[in-house]
Amino acid sequence: MSPELLMPAGSLEKLKYAYNFGADAVYVGVPLFSLRARENEMTFEDLEKGIQFARENGKQIYVTANIFARNLKLKSFRENFKKWVNLKPDAFIMSDPGLMMIAKEVDPDVNIHLSVQSNCMNWQSVKFWQQQGATRIILSRELRLEEIKEIHERVPDIELEAFVHGSICIAYSGRCLLSHYMSYRDANQGVCDNSCRYGYNIYKADTSKEEEFYLEDLRNKGQFYQIDEDENGTYIMNAKDLCVIEHLRELRDAGVCSFKVEGRTKSIYYAAMVSRIYRKAIDDMMAGKEFDRSLLLELDKIANRGYHKGFVAGNLSHHAQEYRHSTSRNYSQKFAGVVIGDSDQPGFVKIEARHRLRPGEEIEIISPEGTQKALVGRITNDKHESVPQAGGGGLIYHLELPIKPQANSLVSLLEKGGF
């Protein structure tokens, strides 16, 4: 049986793109109870529509409610859970034992997937959570291949899910308090401010003590934090992105049944591209083909901090950190828009622009079936007046193209650079 490709969906639009470009399943967060509370576009109505879309297309959908709740959230969780469970998603991703107890009280048959936030790292813990009613374990990111294999051998009757791609925190699977310490925004309550990504100045104190160093937070000048420094320098924790697409076969053979991608706050371009790339890698693997290394080049088209292979192949080194920049900078293409459909101008295509496009620029039109390159001809606005560029911002433009792409294809600008 082919492993499941599980993609993030931070909105109804991203959900549809992930499914259409190859995902078997998506996970969606619910406001106030998932770890993407600040940038969660998935309303209850959208969740209802998303579950309906999944059913119509024979897909799976999992609802993420994985915060570690405080007392004040227990009552509202019970009230909301009754509504969510009536929509009949395929599973709930959870980490808080108290919330799991409430879920089982509301619906004893509810399907619970243990969140990576619970840091399940050994087979004895897997057995414990299985006894508590979990049907799937989302494994801690820190596990090596041989550890996953032993877990599967000792507890073969439970599903194992593993992250294979996306941003990761420098903490045990996300249990980081850096944001809470610096900005009073708790990552474990869904409001992380990404303190680990920002730039800092370093100072050495003018004292008689040796190696007394301080960081100045550039977002709050004059605020200093005492730190240690080794022979390599001092680094705020800024990991490169996880990418183990080359090791899917080993993960499957070790017992992983679901390959999970991080990124509910990423764009529809990310959702579509990563879905399509990993879909091909999985299909090739199941067909007995060798890994197609061109897929690595495809992944480089997407904004990233550079890639590393996590702990799958062994312990990480300092090469897994990005020391120069706090944002995604590496990519070879830029998401430029979405094809709405044919224009009423012959030879033109109507697009919703997400980034600047100019006549004469080379673009790729990306659909689930394939990729086509084209040069942009004339550009007109919604009044069919010629304009020097499509300005982005979600406005509608008409592009003169030598090809006729299908609706909902993505437009990607072939451009080197960084944000």
Side-chain angles (χ1 to χ4, degrees):
M1 184 175 178
S2 178
E4 171 186 86
L5 175 58
L6 175 57
M7 291 295 300
S11 68
L12 184 60
E13 182 184 38
K14 294 173 190 176
L15 175 149
K16 292 179 178 179
Y17 270 93
Y19 282 144
N20 290 338
F21 277 73
D24 301 301
V26 302
Y27 59 102
V28 300
V30 288
L32 302 180
F33 297 100
S34 78
L35 294 188
R36 293 295 183 271
R38 284 187 296 121
E39 300 180 45
N40 192 335
E41 302 174 37
M42 190 64 69
T43 64
F44 180 82
E45 291 73 21
D46 285 343
L47 177 60
E48 189 173 25
K49 293 175 183 176
I51 292 175
Q52 181 181 353
F53 188 86
R55 297 289 166 264
E56 291 171 352
N57 290 274
K59 306 285 188 176
Q60 303 283 297
I61 185 168
Y62 310 134
V63 174
T64 303
N66 63 342
I67 67 163
F68 292 100
R70 296 185 178 181
N71 291 336
L72 60 86
K73 286 192 174 181
L74 296 181
K75 181 179 178 181
S76 60
F77 177 81
R78 184 184 294 272
E79 294 170 351
N80 280 281
F81 190 81
K82 291 176 181 178
K83 297 190 298 182
W84 301 328
V85 79
N86 286 335
L87 297 179
K88 300 188 183 303
D90 295 287
F92 287 87
I93 300 172
M94 305 182 70
S95 57
D96 188 310
L99 297 188
M100 293 182 198
M101 184 179 292
I102 292 174
K104 286 292 186 181
E105 289 171 359
V106 173
D107 181 0
D109 297 323
V110 68
N111 196 13
I112 293 177
H113 293 178
L114 184 73
S115 172
V116 71
Q117 297 300 121
S118 293
N119 309 133
C120 195
M121 301 184 71
N122 62 73
W123 61 265
Q124 192 69 56
S125 292
V126 170
K127 292 186 73 171
F128 169 82
W129 286 111
Q130 185 182 41
Q131 291 175 7
Q132 307 312 308
T135 57
R136 177 184 291 188
I137 304 297
I138 305 172
L139 296 168
S140 178
R141 293 184 178 99
E142 293 74 39
L143 293 178
R144 292 186 286 273
L145 202 60
E146 60 269 21
E147 294 175 300
I148 297 173
K149 184 177 180 180
E150 183 177 2
I151 289 173
H152 179 62
E153 289 172 345
R154 289 183 178 270
V155 197
D157 54 342
I158 194 167
E159 295 181 351
L160 300 179
E161 178 179 309
F163 277 92
V164 297
H165 194 90
S167 301
I168 61 174
C169 300
I170 304 302
Y172 263 149
S173 297
R175 280 186 169 181
C176 178
L177 287 175
L178 189 63
S179 169
H180 189 246
Y181 181 72
M182 290 183 163
S183 304
Y184 306 104
R185 284 165 50 169
D186 191 347
N188 299 302
Q189 295 297 315
V191 287
C192 178
D193 78 335
N194 295 311
S195 292
C196 59
R197 309 291 190 196
Y198 283 89
Y200 297 82
N201 284 334
I202 182 170
Y203 297 92
K204 184 175 181 179
D206 187 16
T207 69
S208 59
K209 294 178 63 177
E210 292 184 0
E211 296 185 347
E212 187 171 326
F213 292 89
Y214 294 83
L215 282 182
E216 181 186 32
D217 187 344
L218 297 183
R219 298 168 296 168
N220 187 14
K221 296 290 184 66
Q223 178 67 57
F224 295 89
Y225 302 91
Q226 188 171 1
I227 58 169
D228 292 322
E229 182 177 64
D230 63 17
E231 66 275 11
N232 296 313
T234 300
Y235 312 115
I236 283 296
M237 299 171 286
N238 183 32
K240 293 180 181 178
D241 292 345
L242 178 68
C243 177
V244 294
I245 192 170
E246 298 174 79
H247 299 281
L248 300 184
R249 192 184 307 275
E250 294 99 309
L251 284 168
R252 180 203 61 182
D253 293 345
V256 174
C257 71
S258 179
F259 298 147
K260 187 171 191 172
V261 173
E262 179 277 339
R264 274 177 285 158
T265 62
K266 302 288 181 65
S267 68
I268 61 170
Y269 181 65
Y270 177 93
M273 288 289 287
V274 176
S275 292
R276 197 179 75 160
I277 294 165
Y278 273 82
R279 175 79 274 145
K280 185 177 188 309
I282 293 171
D283 291 347
D284 285 351
M285 175 187 70
M286 296 306 296
K289 297 179 181 179
E290 292 295 317
F291 174 68
D292 182 355
R293 300 197 65 82
S294 70
L295 297 180
L296 296 173
L297 299 177
E298 289 293 302
L299 288 173
D300 278 337
K301 295 178 180 179
I302 306 163
N304 63 84
R305 294 182 176 88
Y307 292 123
H308 68 77
K309 297 182 180 181
F311 292 87
V312 169
N315 290 325
L316 291 176
S317 72
H318 66 281
H319 295 297
Q321 301 295 309
E322 170 53 65
Y323 302 128
R324 295 169 298 170
H325 307 293
S326 63
T327 57
S328 299
R329 300 181 70 86
N330 301 321
Y331 61 88
S332 61
Q333 295 190 18
K334 187 171 287 185
F335 176 40
V338 177
V339 175
I340 297 175
D342 292 338
S343 168
D344 52 5
Q345 292 177 269
F348 282 72
V349 172
K350 186 187 296 186
I351 72 160
E352 178 185 311
R354 303 291 180 94
H355 183 266
R356 181 267 307 151
L357 277 174
R358 296 190 180 100
E361 289 185 315
E362 187 177 17
I363 60 173
E364 278 191 352
I365 304 293
I366 304 161
S367 72
E369 288 73 34
T371 300
Q372 296 174 287
K373 289 185 178 182
L375 289 178
V376 178
R378 290 194 302 127
I379 301 176
T380 65
N381 59 22
D382 58 352
K383 297 179 181 179
H384 301 322
E385 300 167 335
S386 292
V387 293
Q389 67 177 30
L395 298 177
I396 305 302
Y397 292 91
H398 302 256
L399 303 187
E400 185 180 29
L401 295 176
I403 59 176
K404 187 177 181 181
Q406 66 187 63
N408 298 316
S409 295
L410 302 178
V411 180
S412 177
L413 176 63
L414 300 180
E415 175 178 283
K416 299 285 184 181
F419 292 133

